[in-house]
Amino acid sequence: MAPSKQREDAVGWALQTTPEVLIASKAGRRCTTGRAGTEAVLRAVGCPVLVIRGTRDGCRPQAEMAGVAALTGARDVVLDGSGHLPHTRRPVEVNRLLRDFTGPGTPLPAPRRRAGRRVLFLSSPIGLGHVGRDVAIAEALRRHRPGVEVDWLAQHPITEVLRRRGERVHPASAFLASEAAHVDAEAGVHDLHAFHAVRRMDAILVANFMLFADLVAEERYDLWIGDEAWELDHFLHENPGLKRSPYAWLTDFVGWLPMPDGGTAEAELTADYNAEMVEHVAKLPEVRDRAVFVGNPSDLVDDPLGPGLPTVREWTLEHFAFSGYIGAPVRAAAREPMLCVATAGGSGTGTGLLRRVIDAYPVARRSLPGLRLIVVAGPRIDPASLTAPEGVEVRGYVDRLDELLASCDLAVTHGGLTTTMTLTAHRRPFLYVPLRHHFEQNRHVRHRLDAYRAGRCLSWAETEPDALAAAMVAEIGRPVDYRPVETGGADRAAALLAELI
């Protein structure tokens, strides 16, 4: 990804050794000394050799690297413009060279030969928010382009939603590395450094892009759609020669933003990533045939992308079309007085919040004797890990959770966009507690909810049982004055995408 990550990795690898190992590497009895000895060892190599080097390598002389290739009879690949450690600077290119050199690996499932128009959809597996809107877009796209077939390259937990909706998950999805498991491992108690978690996901993103590239090399698609599929967008810009079809990018936020306690270092890192994004689009505008912002211009923050860069609002207005809010259709549900729903999304990061709501429930019930609480653990939290007192029902994954949210009298949730906007659209009072250090929930989503005058934001420190119970009692059933949420976003997005087929 961005050069700063490569430098950090290189320093980290170097620090894994010791002075004794470094001494042994020079003084060991099995080490060759002098040019003649080194050349003799290289001439004795009897297996196939691949040398990959960059023209801008400042650590080893070009003649030295070329000499190694000549003495071993290697295939000598020179990457123009690459510096030292090309496997970190150009990982997709190097991986493809290694794959071709070592021979084919595990074959992908045999492609289904179909003659109609086909779309490959990649939907971010970090939570469940993306897949709900993406299924709505796919359904609208079929109306705009009758007969179009949609395949999904997807992983748990969104595959659960897709299968229940009758969507086709491509068999190659079984080979994807889990992004959701990585995020769960990065999270603390109601705490996720979202930017750093994605930044440390680089090896997973490379692996998943490699799978995507192999898939589309074997199967023809008329359109690729990536909803916050970071690997697809980044590595297509890094490897534009691999683009074989029109490509559309969807997102509901633009700009990596530093958290206040991240200091100068985090501000510099997020600016580095934003600058790379700006440079990609400026240098290769043809990679994204369409960029769609899931929302409206009023949803954009005014934060700068970094020193010398435009603001989020300025840059997004110039480079994106806007679909407006996209919500899955919800059947009308009768309001259930005194029902509180607690949910923490499709990842495993919400356990702490759910437990605090459960702890607050007996306190709140003393003021509201008829209060009922349904706790939705979601697909990645074991419901058995949540001990529920009388009056509390714990459920696991709930299909069409939006229908339950539309019927409640109060919801307590994290700061995820889809859940909070569903509650806003259905004019339900809710408390939301953004994950600590989650820049998107704390900045982008909160800005959008403030614009809709929706919800009451609590900090994690305000969710101790007595304080949370008091907030629940104050908010349940409260008349709201939210700004109306527009409809038809899925159809607008589909119309923008249909133009590319």
Side-chain angles (χ1 to χ4, degrees):
M1 304 291 270
S4 58
K5 182 62 165 58
Q6 299 156 10
R7 291 192 292 270
E8 279 185 22
D9 284 345
V11 171
W13 297 331
L15 292 175
Q16 290 174 3
T17 190
T18 64
E20 291 75 19
V21 170
L22 293 174
I23 293 169
S25 71
K26 295 295 183 182
R29 288 178 297 172
R30 300 184 64 181
C31 294
T32 62
T33 57
R35 184 184 185 91
T38 300
E39 290 182 352
V41 170
L42 292 172
R43 289 193 187 94
V45 174
C47 63
V49 177
L50 172 66
V51 170
I52 303 174
R53 56 194 174 98
T55 59
R56 297 179 62 186
D57 192 321
C59 295
R60 311 303 305 181
Q62 292 292 323
E64 179 184 89
M65 294 184 288
V68 169
L71 290 167
T72 58
R75 179 188 172 194
D76 188 14
V77 177
V78 182
L79 301 182
D80 186 45
S82 176
H84 197 57
L85 303 179
H87 57 291
T88 69
R89 299 172 187 270
R90 307 215 335 224
V92 169
E93 197 169 351
V94 170
N95 278 348
R96 290 170 67 85
L97 288 167
L98 292 173
R99 191 264 315 277
D100 294 343
F101 180 69
T102 59
T106 304
L108 293 176
R112 293 172 61 194
R113 302 300 178 187
R114 290 170 287 178
R117 291 174 292 188
R118 305 176 62 204
V119 172
L120 183 62
F121 215 133
L122 282 70
S123 182
S124 173
I126 302 176
L128 289 175
H130 307 90
V131 67
R133 70 187 183 209
D134 293 340
V135 169
I137 292 171
E139 292 172 348
L141 189 59
R142 295 183 182 105
R143 293 193 294 270
H144 282 269
R145 291 289 183 269
V148 71
E149 295 188 20
V150 179
D151 285 352
W152 299 82
L153 188 61
Q155 55 188 278
H156 184 78
I158 66 171
T159 48
E160 179 75 21
V161 179
L162 294 172
R163 291 192 175 103
R164 288 173 182 257
R165 300 295 187 277
E167 297 286 338
R168 180 180 183 268
V169 177
H170 196 286
S173 300
F175 296 98
L176 289 168
S178 177
E179 297 173 29
H182 167 82
V183 168
D184 289 352
E186 289 272 332
V189 178
H190 205 73
D191 194 356
L192 177 65
H193 287 72
F195 166 69
H196 294 288
V198 173
R199 190 166 180 263
R200 286 190 286 263
M201 197 162 62
D202 51 351
I204 292 174
L205 296 179
V206 172
N208 288 345
F209 180 81
M210 294 296 298
L211 178 68
F212 165 84
D214 288 346
L215 171 59
V216 297
E218 295 183 12
E219 296 195 48
R220 177 193 61 81
Y221 287 95
D222 299 283
L223 175 64
W224 304 335
I225 305 173
D227 185 351
E228 295 187 17
W230 304 108
E231 70 278 25
L232 178 57
D233 194 67
H234 177 84
F235 290 114
L236 276 182
H237 280 93
E238 291 284 299
N239 303 271
L242 297 180
K243 186 183 176 199
R244 295 179 171 86
S245 298
Y247 159 58
W249 168 248
L250 276 69
T251 185
D252 56 41
F253 81 92
V254 174
W256 307 95
L257 302 179
M259 295 302 295
D261 62 358
T264 302
E266 188 169 311
E268 290 176 350
L269 290 177
T270 53
D272 182 34
Y273 270 61
N274 290 334
E276 184 176 57
M277 172 188 67
V278 170
E279 180 183 352
H280 274 165
V281 174
K283 184 179 178 181
L284 295 166
E286 67 277 9
V287 169
R288 293 179 179 177
D289 294 281
R290 181 64 42 84
V292 180
F293 184 85
V294 182
N296 302 298
S298 60
D299 299 324
L300 300 170
V301 300
D302 285 316
D303 300 54
L305 289 167
L309 298 173
T311 67
V312 169
R313 179 183 297 277
E314 292 168 342
W315 192 80
T316 308
L317 287 173
E318 182 178 354
H319 293 95
F320 282 76
F322 293 81
S323 68
Y325 170 71
I326 298 176
V330 178
R331 291 192 294 267
R335 184 167 180 171
E336 293 195 37
M338 302 296 284
L339 171 63
C340 177
V341 175
T343 177
S347 75
T349 60
T351 307
L353 178 61
L354 298 182
R355 285 179 176 156
R356 286 209 167 176
V357 178
I358 291 172
D359 290 343
Y361 171 75
V363 182
R365 194 176 185 185
R366 288 200 290 267
S367 299
L368 301 169
L371 180 65
R372 292 187 300 126
L373 174 62
I374 296 177
V375 175
V376 180
R380 296 190 65 83
I381 299 174
D382 181 5
S385 68
L386 301 171
T387 303
E390 182 184 355
V392 177
E393 177 187 353
V394 178
R395 301 181 184 178
Y397 170 73
V398 174
D399 192 34
R400 300 193 183 278
L401 175 62
D402 44 9
E403 295 179 3
L404 178 61
L405 295 174
S407 68
C408 72
D409 212 24
L410 174 70
V412 184
T413 184
H414 57 16
L417 180 66
T418 299
T419 302
T420 54
M421 283 300 292
T422 296
L423 292 162
T424 302
H426 292 280
R427 308 185 69 77
R428 294 302 189 238
F430 63 95
L431 302 167
Y432 69 102
V433 189
L435 290 168
R436 292 176 290 175
H437 298 104
H438 196 306
F439 74 93
E440 184 187 358
Q441 292 188 5
N442 283 278
R443 187 71 186 100
H444 291 286
V445 176
R446 185 166 183 181
H447 169 83
R448 189 181 294 213
L449 293 176
D450 286 348
Y452 280 94
R453 303 188 298 273
R456 175 180 168 186
C457 183
L458 300 179
S459 68
W460 178 245
E462 295 174 297
T463 60
E464 294 293 344
D466 288 346
L468 180 55
M472 292 167 63
V473 170
E475 293 295 315
I476 191 163
R478 179 179 63 84
V480 300
D481 184 30
Y482 301 162
R483 197 184 90 203
V485 176
E486 72 280 3
T487 60
D491 191 71
R492 284 189 291 273
L496 291 167
L497 299 176
E499 295 173 357
L500 303 178
I501 300 176

